[in-house]
Amino acid sequence: MNEYILVKSIIDEWDPINLLDFCPEDEYTPEIKDIAALLPDVKSVDELALKIRQVFIKWFEIFLSIEKCYLVALKIWEATKKT
């Protein structure tokens, strides 16, 4: 659950699709759960960035740039490696 909370805070801050101004605060819950579930198996920030991109393609059919995904992946990677 701790990883979920870390991922949620980072994804909500990022708000990649700009939904949180008019949607409930749990709008990204499925995506956050998917990303948190990936963390034990990912081996690098690059891999995490690609997987974050895939999660948003899956749920929203939106193609985020790998550069944007990399920045958030780095934040998640650093935050979860401290725990």
Side-chain angles (χ1 to χ4, degrees), residues 47-64:
E47 180 183 359
L48 182 57
L50 289 170
K51 294 197 179 274
I52 289 171
R53 187 171 186 261
Q54 291 170 347
V55 165
F56 281 94
I57 290 170
K58 171 187 161 187
W59 286 101
F60 289 101
E61 296 182 359
I62 187 165
F63 291 84
L64 301 170

Side-chain angles (χ1 to χ4, degrees), residues 2-17:
N2 191 25
E3 287 182 342
Y4 174 85
I5 293 168
L6 286 170
V7 172
K8 180 174 180 14
S9 69
I10 293 167
I11 296 296
D12 285 353
E13 179 185 327
W14 181 33
D15 191 11
I17 307 173

